[in-house]
């Protein structure tokens, strides 16, 4: 794990403009100045928290694992009194730029209907209809005799 400079919250608070934007998330001091235009929530979201601890806001939004890995890319230090989690499994160098025209999606199929149910739903009405027609044909023939 890389060694980072230790900052106080008052030192971070000096970086609260659009041209020099630092925030704190989970004890990590991040320089997000260059990330403002790319931020999916807009630069206003970052500027609102500039110079402050944005940990709770970051967690409340529900950022993805990918977003959490991006924290390491912009980290310039740690907040005094915090110890950060071990990031041995996350490598900053392996973070790739997101592709603008590509979207990932997945489908969750939560269908607990048994496979035979489709057959029953198809054949049961045919069976009932066929039985009714057979009954009508048999009773119609016997009344004419």
């Amino acid at each position: 794990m890389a060694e980072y400079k230790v900052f106080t919250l008052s030192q971070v608070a000096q970086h609260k403009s659009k041209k020099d934007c630092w925030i704190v998330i989970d004890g990590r001091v991040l320089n997000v100045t260059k990330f403002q235009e790319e931020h999916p929530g807009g630069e206003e979201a970052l500027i609102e928290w500039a110079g402050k601890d944005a940990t709770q806001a970051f967690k409340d939004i529900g950022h993805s694992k990918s977003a959490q890995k991006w924290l390491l890319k912009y980290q310039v230090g740690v907040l005094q009194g915090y110890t950060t989690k071990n990031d041995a499994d996350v490598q900053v160098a392996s973070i790739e730029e997101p592709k603008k025209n590509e979207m990932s999606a997945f489908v969750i199929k939560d269908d607990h209907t048994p496979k035979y149910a489709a057959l029953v739903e198809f054949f049961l009405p045919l069976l009932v209809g066929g039985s009714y027609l057979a009954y009508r044909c048999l009773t119609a023939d016997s009344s004419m005799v």
Side-chain angles (χ1 to χ4, degrees), residues 124-142:
L124 186 61
L126 289 177
L127 182 65
V128 171
S131 299
Y132 175 74
L133 286 175
Y135 171 77
R136 291 288 293 178
C137 287
L138 290 174
T139 57
D141 288 339
S142 64

Side-chain angles (χ1 to χ4, degrees), residues 47-66:
I47 294 170
E48 176 184 351
W49 289 98
K52 302 175 190 169
D53 188 339
T55 302
Q56 195 58 47
F58 184 83
K59 290 180 179 179
D60 288 347
I61 295 297
H63 285 83
S64 66
K65 297 268 185 201
S66 178

Side-chain angles (χ1 to χ4, degrees), residues 16-43:
K16 58 182 178 181
S17 69
K18 183 176 180 176
K19 294 183 179 182
D20 185 25
C21 183
W22 289 20
I23 60 174
V24 176
I25 297 175
D26 285 329
R28 301 175 192 283
V29 179
L30 311 170
N31 181 350
V32 292
T33 307
K34 294 180 182 177
F35 182 63
Q36 291 179 52
E37 291 181 16
E38 299 172 32
H39 187 258
E43 62 185 27

Side-chain angles (χ1 to χ4, degrees), residues 68-115:
Q68 293 172 10
K69 290 180 182 179
W70 278 81
L71 295 178
L72 298 176
K73 180 176 181 178
Y74 296 101
Q75 185 172 357
V76 293
V78 293
L79 194 61
Q80 185 177 26
Y82 278 82
T83 55
T84 57
K85 297 174 187 171
N86 186 6
D87 298 312
D89 58 329
V90 180
Q91 297 177 357
V92 177
S94 69
I95 297 176
E96 299 175 6
E97 293 290 327
K99 296 179 181 173
K100 301 276 183 193
N101 297 333
E102 196 171 297
M103 181 186 297
S104 63
F106 58 92
V107 177
I108 298 174
K109 186 174 181 182
D110 192 17
D111 188 9
H112 298 292
T113 308
K115 292 182 180 183

